[in-house]
Amino acid sequence: MHVPDVSVVVIVYNDEERLPTAVRSVLDQTLHGVEVVIVDDCSKDRSYAVAQELEAAHPGRVRAFRLPENSGGCGAPRNHGIRQAAGTYVMFLDSDDVLERNACRNMLDAAERTGSDLVSGMCVRVHLDNRWGKTTEWYPWIYSRTRTLESITEFPDLLVYDTLSTNKCYRRSFLLDQGLEFPVGIHYEDLLFSAQAYVAARRITLIPNQVYRWNVVEKAASKSISNRRHEIANFVHRMEIHRRVDELLASKGYTDIKTAKDAKFLKHDLVLHLRDLPLLGDAYRQEFARLANGYLATIDPAAYEHVTHLQAICAYLLGKEDWDNLLPAADAMVNKGRLTSPLAERDGRVYWCADHIDDPADTEARRILDVTGQGFHTTPLTGLTLGNRLTSYEDDGRGTVTLSGSIVNPLRRIGPDAKLSAVLELRARRQIGVRSFSFPAATVRHAGDTIEWTATADIAGTVRPLGIVDAVWDVRLRLDAGGERIVTRVSTAGLDLDAAARLRVRPRLTRLVSDRFEPEVTKKGNLSYVLTAEGPAAVRTQALITGAMHGKAAGVVKRGLRKALRARRNLGSGEQKVRVYHEVFSKLPVKKGLVVFESHMGKQYSDSPKAIYEEMVRQGVPFEAVWSYAGAKPTGFPKEATLVKRWSWQYLRALAQAEFWIDNQGFPLALAKREGTTYIQTWHGSALKRMGFHEPRTKAQGRAAQDRFQAAVDRFDHFLVRSEHDVRTLAKGFRLRDEVLLRAGYPRNDALVEAHRAEAQSGERVRGPLAAELGIDPDKRVLLYAPTFRANAEGAVEGFAFPFDVEEFADRLGDRFTLLVRTHYLNSVSLPPSVAGRVVDVSRHHDITPLLALADGLITDYSSVMFDYAVLDRPMLFFAYDYDSYAGDIRGTYFDLKEKAPGPVVATPEELFQAVAAFDEADAKYAEARQRFLTEFGEYDRGDAARRIVEKFFTRSGK
């Protein structure tokens, strides 16, 4: 008898409709030596009969088995499948999921090639009830490339994060020899089984191919086991599985993996249950705290260093069973970015709450509850999402409701003198027709840490929904406080709305579909209203609703509305905009004198594009200026220019008709430049790290991706360079022709060249109005700290974390120096109140050039700002605390910074503090090195770059 290459064990329980699709995904595999082993967990429907029918239809390829009684989980049927499997390898498939068509072939090839006991591929979650066909890859960074591990210790993330058993292929002899089976009678069996398999495997191979499609229905009537988190037994099972995995890791001495797993527990497992706490009762919370705190006591304290501030805060407050502060923190985790606590300030630091931090016996409270780095105290109120908790809900039974709530007033930043007003708003989630209805708040008042409000809404007499597609209406409150408008969602905060009446409404289409608003709590705990129906003959009405919703008339209406929605959505899609740009806007005539400027993809009014623009204005050049901006609204851009939002229709039309494009980074890659348009690329800095085709990652891309990148840089008609170093690095990395290069220097540095000349001639450094604006003490030296861009391990942009203690810097050196902090424009920073006046955040200043001119010295790491600051011939310090990892990164550098740095290169905070203290000594010691550095990297910066460019392209003498 022929032995199958792979046996796919398909488990099923009460899933007769989807079972055939799952089995078909196995039978249609491109690998032919595959058998299906169906194990029915004693279903109550026809699942086993369907399995037998599939067996009869595919003799020799499908075998069906049935357990004598229901096991209540996935473990027993999978174990039975392992025993019945005949294949060399075994895979597992749930009846509601499917395999990718090449899954078995790809995994078998990898196993045979490497001799691995276990091969794992990428799982993709398919959100079936998402109208846009949403899919998400399961921890994709794990499967970024093919890799073979001799031990799980080589890549702990695999055990910690990918705990699925279904996206894997196991050598069957390995499972039998190791006695590996799923635990029975307990949920979350995958976590333990996968951990045991990882630890026992002699070799593991990961492949970057998609292999498993996990079908997810968020709004399923019957929740899966893992989604029934409101049942305390669910948490009991989770804790028991975690304890068993911990025992396994301890038996092997895998302490590092245990620490990583603990961090994941805090970030994921615990968070899943904490999210539901505001919606659950006291009895559940007490038992949950007892179970959780028993396990939290076993967590490695080092794990807390790898979680977010809110995750650590929630774990800490749970340990204290401080529900008054924990529930708002849990609400903030569910609603990312929402500030739900009034905060507290002590000794120049900001804390999540005032409780615990003054207890001298609690040594951890201040460390864990410290949220100074989140910037709640410095971010404008309009930039914060303030928590708004519903405190009272009343209805009159006739269609009018009165709501009262409490908005967080962080650190009482909304002062008692601020004039207050508010509007309650009902907004349709699917915005068609009338989008919202508003009701002014009857009262709004200061209450110390909160702003209290009350509003009455006559819903029956005012709200007119369509009645079919606008089924869900969200509740918001717009607060005007001292001229600032703050928009908040209204959180139910666990308020019981079960007894709340349904409110009468008058739909504009037909009352047969709906005539009531029913209050509902969303998944994130916010108040919404859902259209439903009610009447004397409830059963008949419901039947009419069902018929109306699925009948011909409703079908026509819904199809028409869906078509309109799809057309509107497609009209605004990136693909459609690119098409219109090329097929419509690019057919319009080029407008002479139209110049589109952009700096850092619309995020700033700064850099060389700004310098060129202002030189054109100074010379009186006749032109039409268009500046692009990113974000909700432009701030800091010139009022006399036309401002267009990046990727808007106005932006695309302007680019299509412009005579000139001027930017420092790159207009959208998908937009081709017209023949009548001249593209002047100023770029944004000389290169330390390898760029373009010099990057190994670019070289490793496929031909199509490389061609797209080449086409984008080929749009440059002129590319500014400030030295022959740029010619050897940037120009070569982008494969630019020599005739494209403009050896003119950077226009942004003209002001720095002029500042240096003026200082050399007068012997005096003039600080100018910016110093007064920033409140700088004239008796102190000014240092500018400008580090390079930072991202986390997965490449995500995060807030900047200081690599030194900024409070210690202020205490030790603040009497002599004022430290200006300027993060990369993609990062953000928050300073503690304790350093006010001694350390100043200047990151919101668009243009760094005036800050460079103001600074008496520069502290940086690898930022290209070092090349610009060299023009001033002032001291530089290089705080390269992670130099080895930066220089040794796969991308590589063009030169060794330690060899050419025109100032001290230090690696520790103490070395940095000492170097700053010896500021004058470094100034004299590195004078010659600064001159060599400027000669090599700034030879074309002569102070006339903007003038030369304007005269070359925009004045009669130039033309």
Side-chain angles (χ1 to χ4, degrees):
M1 178 180 176
H2 176 68
V3 177
D5 292 315
V6 180
S7 295
V8 179
V9 176
V10 182
I11 63 170
V12 60
Y13 177 69
N14 289 350
D15 200 15
E16 59 181 283
E17 292 185 1
R18 292 180 292 190
L19 176 60
T21 301
V23 171
R24 174 53 57 190
S25 76
V26 182
L27 297 175
D28 289 345
Q29 288 290 300
T30 53
L31 179 70
H32 297 299
V34 181
E35 71 159 353
V36 184
V37 178
I38 305 174
V39 182
D40 173 57
D41 197 12
C42 200
S43 296
K44 297 177 181 179
D45 66 355
R46 293 190 68 256
S47 291
Y48 183 57
V50 171
Q52 290 178 309
E53 293 166 4
L54 290 166
E55 181 180 42
H58 304 281
R61 295 202 67 194
V62 178
R63 292 185 288 140
F65 302 89
R66 186 181 193 185
L67 299 186
E69 59 182 7
N70 179 249
S71 69
C74 302
R78 285 176 181 161
N79 291 339
H80 191 77
I82 295 172
R83 292 190 289 270
Q84 297 297 334
T88 306
Y89 295 89
V90 176
M91 294 176 62
F92 302 106
L93 173 65
D94 293 345
S95 60
D96 52 349
D97 301 328
V98 294
L99 292 183
E100 194 278 332
R101 192 163 183 265
N102 297 295
C104 291
R105 177 181 296 280
N106 289 333
M107 300 183 95
L108 176 68
D109 287 348
E112 295 290 273
R113 185 177 68 254
T114 63
S116 294
D117 290 327
L118 188 161
V119 175
S120 190
M122 187 180 293
C123 171
V124 178
R125 285 167 57 96
V126 181
H127 301 264
L128 297 179
D129 52 354
N130 180 273
R131 69 173 70 94
W132 317 128
K134 176 184 174 183
T135 63
T136 53
E137 294 178 336
W138 188 254
Y139 299 115
W141 83 85
I142 293 176
Y143 298 99
S144 60
R145 61 181 176 87
T146 300
R147 67 176 93 191
T148 297
L149 313 174
E150 300 298 327
S151 167
I152 189 60
T153 58
E154 296 178 16
F155 191 42
D157 277 1
L158 182 59
L159 182 147
V160 172
Y161 290 96
D162 187 0
T163 57
L164 301 178
S165 65
T166 48
N167 59 334
K168 297 171 177 61
C169 181
Y170 310 84
R171 193 180 300 273
R172 183 166 176 265
S173 60
F174 158 69
L175 297 179
L176 297 176
D177 293 344
Q178 296 293 328
L180 291 179
E181 289 191 339
F182 291 86
V184 177
I186 187 169
H187 303 323
Y188 304 104
E189 56 278 302
D190 270 23
L191 274 71
L192 181 58
F193 180 83
S194 61
Q196 291 172 329
Y198 287 141
V199 169
R202 292 177 297 107
R203 186 171 294 156
I204 302 168
T205 294
L206 310 181
I207 60 175
N209 310 81
Q210 294 183 5
V211 298
Y212 195 89
R213 297 183 72 79
W214 176 2
N215 292 326
V216 180
V217 181
E218 298 286 352
K219 301 174 184 176
S222 176
K223 292 290 185 182
S224 67
I225 291 169
S226 60
N227 284 328
R228 296 202 294 267
R229 293 186 291 273
H230 60 283
E231 301 173 6
I232 196 65
N234 183 291
F235 192 60
V236 172
H237 287 203
R238 188 186 287 271
M239 291 297 89
E240 177 58 26
I241 287 292
H242 274 284
R243 287 190 182 92
R244 295 188 190 183
V245 175
D246 291 347
E247 291 171 1
L248 170 67
L249 297 176
S251 70
K252 298 292 184 180
Y254 292 164
T255 55
D256 289 344
I257 299 180
K258 168 67 164 60
T259 302
K261 176 187 165 296
D262 286 346
K264 194 247 187 176
F265 175 82
L266 294 171
K267 291 192 293 186
H268 176 73
D269 302 76
L270 184 62
V271 167
L272 287 176
H273 292 268
L274 286 172
R275 286 174 173 174
D276 296 327
L277 281 185
L279 308 178
L280 299 170
D282 289 339
Y284 178 96
R285 293 174 190 166
Q286 298 300 329
E287 181 62 10
F288 173 79
R290 184 185 69 80
L291 294 166
N293 288 333
Y295 185 74
L296 287 173
T298 70
I299 293 285
D300 183 352
Y304 285 90
E305 298 175 6
H306 304 283
V307 301
T308 68
H309 72 287
L310 266 178
Q311 291 161 354
I313 286 170
C314 283
Y316 170 83
L317 294 173
L318 177 61
K320 296 288 185 181
E321 296 191 38
D322 179 356
W323 303 109
D324 290 340
N325 289 308
L326 172 58
L327 295 181
D331 183 22
M333 273 202 306
V334 174
N335 297 276
K336 187 175 181 181
R338 180 183 290 181
L339 177 58
T340 56
S341 174
L343 308 177
E345 184 179 337
R346 295 285 191 282
D347 304 320
R349 306 292 297 179
V350 179
Y351 299 92
W352 179 257
C353 57
D355 301 280
H356 315 295
I357 59 177
D358 295 323
D359 182 358
D362 192 341
T363 58
E364 291 293 290
R366 290 205 173 197
R367 181 181 66 83
I368 295 175
L369 297 174
D370 191 327
V371 293
T372 309
Q374 304 308 309
F376 296 131
H377 59 296
T378 56
T379 302
L381 287 172
T382 53
L384 294 174
T385 303
L386 299 182
N388 186 354
R389 180 174 59 88
L390 194 65
T391 56
S392 173
Y393 182 100
E394 299 176 0
D395 62 69
D396 64 357
R398 298 187 301 274
T400 297
V401 295
T402 299
L403 309 181
S404 297
S406 175
I407 301 174
V408 168
N409 184 7
L411 300 174
R412 303 192 178 189
R413 291 176 59 188
I414 302 175
D417 297 332
K419 185 178 180 181
L420 302 177
S421 64
V423 173
L424 188 71
E425 179 184 75
L426 269 67
R427 177 179 287 267
R429 190 170 295 175
R430 297 181 68 179
Q431 297 178 10
I432 300 176
V434 177
R435 296 186 174 193
S436 64
F437 296 91
S438 299
F439 307 90
T443 61
V444 190
R445 66 182 186 86
H446 293 89
D449 288 337
T450 59
I451 303 295
E452 311 295 333
W453 59 271
T454 299
T456 298
D458 178 11
I459 291 178
T462 307
V463 178
R464 297 293 308 278
L466 282 174
I468 294 180
V469 293
D470 52 351
V472 183
W473 290 69
D474 295 318
V475 180
R476 303 167 187 260
L477 189 88
R478 298 199 313 266
L479 172 68
D480 285 307
E484 294 187 287
R485 172 160 293 185
I486 302 164
V487 180
T488 66
R489 284 297 307 272
V490 178
S491 168
T492 59
L495 201 67
D496 186 4
L497 299 181
D498 290 342
R502 294 178 174 183
L503 308 172
R504 185 182 299 277
V505 291
R506 294 183 299 150
R508 284 183 287 152
L509 290 177
T510 170
R511 293 190 184 184
L512 287 178
V513 176
S514 51
D515 64 354
R516 294 292 188 277
F517 253 170
E518 181 175 10
E520 179 183 77
V521 180
T522 69
K523 286 198 311 181
K524 293 188 174 183
N526 298 316
L527 176 63
S528 291
Y529 286 96
V530 178
L531 279 168
T532 183
E534 186 178 88
V539 175
R540 182 174 63 83
T541 303
Q542 191 60 48
L544 286 171
I545 293 170
T546 302
M549 291 299 289
H550 298 285
K552 276 188 176 181
V556 170
V557 173
K558 287 194 287 186
R559 282 194 297 273
L561 287 168
R562 286 195 191 107
K563 186 175 180 180
L565 273 174
R566 189 163 52 249
R568 190 178 73 175
R569 187 172 67 253
N570 289 341
L571 188 62
S573 70
E575 181 181 353
Q576 181 71 2
K577 284 185 172 181
V578 171
R579 183 179 300 114
V580 171
Y581 170 85
H582 288 106
E583 297 179 3
V584 179
F585 292 158
S586 292
K587 301 298 189 292
L588 299 173
V590 171
K591 294 177 66 175
K592 292 294 183 182
L594 176 60
V595 186
V596 178
F597 297 88
E598 184 172 285
S599 180
H600 295 302
M601 296 182 291
K603 293 181 175 65
Q604 295 179 351
Y605 172 61
S606 67
D607 213 86
S608 292
K610 172 188 175 183
I612 295 173
Y613 166 78
E614 293 184 348
E615 179 66 15
M616 293 172 70
V617 172
R618 190 188 67 78
Q619 291 195 28
V621 174
F623 72 111
E624 180 184 352
V626 172
W627 270 93
S628 89
Y629 69 90
K633 57 182 180 180
T635 57
F637 287 83
K639 295 180 180 179
E640 63 273 12
T642 300
L643 306 183
V644 296
K645 187 172 183 178
R646 202 171 196 262
W647 273 111
S648 66
W649 291 112
Q650 296 91 335
Y651 173 80
L652 295 174
R653 179 164 181 167
L655 283 176
Q657 291 193 271
E659 184 182 7
F660 287 92
W661 291 359
I662 300 177
D663 90 312
N664 68 347
Q665 195 153 341
F667 288 109
L669 303 184
L671 305 181
K673 181 183 68 69
R674 298 177 65 178
E675 187 176 344
T677 301
T678 299
Y679 190 167
I680 302 173
Q681 173 57 256
T682 69
W683 203 241
H684 52 275
S686 298
L688 173 59
K689 274 221 163 184
R690 295 185 179 274
M691 302 290 294
F693 287 99
H694 288 165
E695 291 187 55
R697 282 175 290 196
T698 305
K699 295 177 182 178
Q701 289 178 341
R703 175 59 64 86
Q706 290 189 12
D707 288 346
R708 285 193 297 271
F709 180 74
Q710 188 65 64
V713 297
D714 283 346
R715 296 178 302 174
F716 304 159
D717 294 299
H718 305 282
F719 186 90
L720 270 59
V721 295
R722 57 194 302 264
S723 69
E724 288 303 305
H725 168 78
D726 291 353
V727 176
R728 296 188 298 270
T729 56
L730 291 170
K732 296 295 184 184
F734 293 148
R735 297 179 178 174
L736 300 177
R737 304 181 312 278
D738 190 69
E739 58 267 26
V740 171
L741 306 182
L742 275 180
R743 290 170 169 84
Y746 280 174
R748 71 183 186 193
N749 288 340
D750 289 350
L752 300 181
V753 174
E754 180 56 34
H756 177 60
R757 284 176 182 164
E759 183 178 336
Q761 291 171 2
S762 67
E764 181 182 358
R765 184 167 301 168
V766 179
R767 286 183 168 177
L770 181 58
E773 178 188 330
L774 297 174
I776 293 174
D777 186 336
D779 295 328
K780 292 183 181 180
R781 302 260 186 109
V782 178
L783 296 179
L784 175 65
Y785 178 44
T788 192
F789 167 70
R790 301 285 173 174
N792 64 16
E794 284 76 54
V797 177
E798 296 183 332
F800 177 76
F802 273 99
F804 59 89
D805 188 334
V806 68
E807 289 178 295
E808 183 180 358
F809 185 101
D811 291 341
R812 290 176 56 172
L813 300 163
D815 60 334
R816 296 172 53 197
F817 297 94
T818 297
L819 182 67
L820 307 181
V821 178
R822 175 60 147 69
T823 61
H824 189 278
Y825 71 91
L826 291 175
N827 291 131
S828 59
V829 70
S830 179
L831 297 173
S834 59
V835 302
R838 296 175 293 173
V839 184
V840 182
D841 178 17
V842 292
S843 300
R844 288 192 174 92
H845 284 249
H846 279 231
D847 199 354
I848 195 174
T849 301
L851 297 170
L852 294 174
L854 172 62
D856 298 302
L858 173 72
I859 303 173
T860 187
D861 44 18
Y862 322 106
S863 172
S864 64
V865 73
M866 70 176 81
F867 301 107
D868 304 294
Y869 196 73
V871 171
L872 292 165
D873 190 26
R874 297 177 191 171
M876 284 188 265
L877 304 176
F878 296 85
F879 185 33
Y881 57 92
D882 55 352
Y883 183 78
D884 290 339
S885 61
Y886 187 90
D889 179 75
I890 188 172
R891 185 170 164 185
T893 60
Y894 284 116
F895 62 88
D896 188 341
L897 178 62
K898 289 184 177 180
E899 291 182 2
K900 296 194 176 185
V905 180
V906 297
T908 68
E910 182 58 33
E911 289 176 349
L912 173 64
F913 297 156
Q914 291 179 6
V916 173
F919 184 79
D920 292 329
E921 180 182 331
D923 186 1
K925 180 179 178 181
Y926 286 89
E928 291 185 8
R930 290 199 301 272
Q931 286 302 314
R932 290 195 300 270
F933 194 80
L934 177 62
T935 300
E936 181 172 359
F937 298 109
E939 59 187 298
Y940 301 133
D941 275 334
R942 305 185 184 102
D944 59 353
R947 179 181 59 78
R948 292 174 62 190
I949 289 168
V950 171
E951 290 178 353
K952 179 178 178 63
F953 296 104
F954 299 104
T955 65
R956 291 180 181 178
S957 61
K959 297 217 174 179

